[in-house]
């Protein structure tokens, strides 16, 4: 199309492309300086056991406290980083932040499991496992078993053989793995069977719709059965109400996470939230599972 419209069109596209590249570099350097300026931080969202409401751990979620735009979530900025060196730098930073926070909690008597989201390019670094284990070694009083890593199906399935080696090395030290957003990627059952992961994390799109959509409920049900058939644990994300929790319990899911339990919160709010959660015994008010 551009060819037919003559040379001026090329000129237009070049300008547009240059503009995009400039914007990209601008955003990338803005984000790098955000990290240096201490504008990036982590929020933590609890995960609970569906059977008794016990808090089983937290997921660390990246935030950018932007001086003009306020608190930004990853969808606003993470994509710019994809495949860049800054993504790896940020990934390292997240790990070290989380470990420091876990050590801080430990000193306050709270031994908490925390999971971290890992990007495809992080996982595919040859020395990913070595670096992670080195970072862990700086905190001898933390157990590697307190650390969970969440991978997108797609991330784990690129360069499968290498990913499996990385997973096995980390798991030999007790670190656990979950496949995030499960059901939205393209993993075949045979890949899945060979992937050394401990947990499936059902994508929130299926979970949040399952009360109205029988199809989504069937998908959730199938993933839970799949996990159990392969001796994997299973967690549902996107649990927005207690009714979601009740249905998941009925479907025999192990754990859940979502706004219905708690929104992601600053690290400083976690201990108060945990006390209130236990005191309120919210779980006792959960409707008991209805027979089908
Ligand atoms: P994710 O790992 O699947 O995380 C779940 C997302 O769902 C989070 O969004 C969380 O705030 C949100 N969420 C939790 N409960 C509910 C709910 O009940 N309803 C709805 N509608 N949403 C809920 P967030 O924090 O914006 O993160 C988005 C994605 O960004 C994450 O998806 C993860 O893939 C990525 N991400 C977050 N932090 C990091 C990080 O440190 N490193 C990397 N590589 N990726 C990260
Ligand atoms: Mg996640
Ligand atoms: Mg997810
Ligand atoms: Mg997601």
């Amino acid at each position: 199309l551009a060819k037919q419209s003559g040379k001026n069109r090329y000129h237009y596209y070049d300008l547009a492309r240059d503009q995009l590249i400039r914007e990209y570099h601008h955003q990338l350097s803005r984000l790098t300086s955000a990290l240096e300026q201490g504008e990036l931080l982590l929020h933590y969202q609890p995960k609970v056991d569906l059977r008794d409401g016990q808090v089983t751990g937290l997921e660390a979620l990246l935030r950018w406290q932007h001086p003009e735009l306020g608190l930004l979530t990853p969808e606003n900025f993470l994509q710019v980083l994809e495949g860049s060196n800054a993504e790896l730098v940020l990934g390292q930073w997240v790990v070290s932040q989380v470990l420091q926070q876990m050590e801080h909690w430990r000193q306050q008597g709270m031994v908490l499991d925390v999971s971290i989201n890992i990007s495809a390019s992080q996982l595919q670094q040859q020395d990913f496992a070595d670096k992670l284990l080195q970072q862990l070694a700086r905190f001898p009083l933390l157990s590697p078993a307190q650390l969970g890593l969440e991978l997108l199906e797609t991330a784990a399935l690129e360069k499968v053989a290498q990913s499996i080696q990385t997973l096995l090395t980390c798991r030999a030290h007790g670190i656990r793995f979950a496949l995030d957003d499960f059901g939205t990627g393209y993993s075949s059952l045979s890949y899945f069977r060979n992937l050394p992961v401990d947990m499936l994390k059902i994508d929130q799109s299926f979970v949040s719709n399952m009360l109205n959509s029988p199809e989504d409920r069937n998908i959730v049900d199938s993933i839970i059965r799949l996990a159990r058939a392969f001796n994997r644990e299973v967690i549902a994300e996107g649990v927005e109400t207690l009714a979601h929790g009740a249905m998941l319990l009925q479907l025999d899911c192990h754990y859940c996470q979502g706004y219905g339990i708690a929104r992601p919160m600053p690290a400083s709010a976690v201990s108060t939230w945990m006390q209130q959660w236990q005191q309120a015994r919210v779980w006792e008010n959960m409707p008991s599972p209805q027979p089908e």
Side-chain angles (χ1 to χ4, degrees), residues 152 180-181 203-204 237:
L152 298 175
D180 209 343
D181 298 1
D203 190 67
Q204 55 179 277
E237 58 180 19

Side-chain angles (χ1 to χ4, degrees), residues 42-224:
L42 293 164
H43 276 185
Y44 293 86
Q45 188 180 34
K47 307 177 182 189
V48 304
D49 191 319
L50 273 157
R51 283 154 298 190
D52 54 14
Q54 287 285 329
V55 178
T56 59
L58 304 159
E59 176 176 9
L61 294 160
L62 195 59
R63 298 289 180 263
W64 179 358
Q65 188 63 60
H66 193 287
E68 288 108 41
L69 304 174
L71 193 67
L72 303 180
T73 56
E75 62 184 358
N76 302 122
F77 60 87
L78 213 53
Q79 222 181 337
V80 174
L81 288 180
E82 234 162 71
S84 72
N85 189 55
E87 184 182 25
L88 300 175
V89 174
L90 181 61
Q92 291 273 348
W93 178 84
V94 171
V95 171
S96 85
Q97 277 296 110
V98 166
L99 292 174
Q100 282 174 50
Q101 185 59 53
M102 288 167 78
E103 172 61 18
H104 185 69
W105 278 325
R106 191 197 62 77
Q107 286 168 15
Q108 297 179 332
M110 296 193 293
V111 178
L112 294 171
D113 292 358
V114 179
S115 62
I116 301 177
N117 292 285
I118 301 295
S119 73
S121 14
Q122 272 179 281
L123 184 71
Q124 277 141 32
Q125 292 293 296
Q126 284 285 354
D127 56 356
F128 175 80
D130 288 347
K131 274 194 182 151
L132 182 66
L133 293 168
Q134 274 167 25
Q135 279 180 297
L136 258 166
R138 292 172 43 223
F139 299 91
L141 297 178
L142 294 179
S143 159
Q146 284 174 254
L147 196 62
L149 302 182
E150 299 191 3
L151 314 171
L152 298 175
E153 280 176 85
T154 44
L157 294 175
E158 276 172 53
K159 303 192 187 166
V160 183
Q162 192 196 308
S163 300
I164 289 181
Q165 196 44 58
T166 300
L167 265 56
L168 289 175
T169 307
C170 293
R171 284 180 94 218
H173 289 81
I175 298 167
R176 288 155 307 107
F177 285 89
L179 281 185
D180 209 343
D181 298 1
F182 192 81
T184 61
Y186 52 74
S187 57
S188 73
L189 291 179
S190 61
Y191 275 136
F192 167 68
R193 188 187 62 182
N194 295 327
L195 218 50
V197 294
D198 307 273
M199 173 132 33
L200 298 186
K201 199 160 187 187
I202 310 171
D203 190 67
Q204 55 179 277
S205 59
F206 308 124
V207 177
S208 45
N209 293 329
M210 74 182 174
L211 295 180
N212 310 317
S213 153
E215 286 88 1
D216 285 326
R217 198 221 308 203
N218 284 335
I219 291 175
V220 171
D221 185 29
S222 309
I223 297 176
I224 293 167

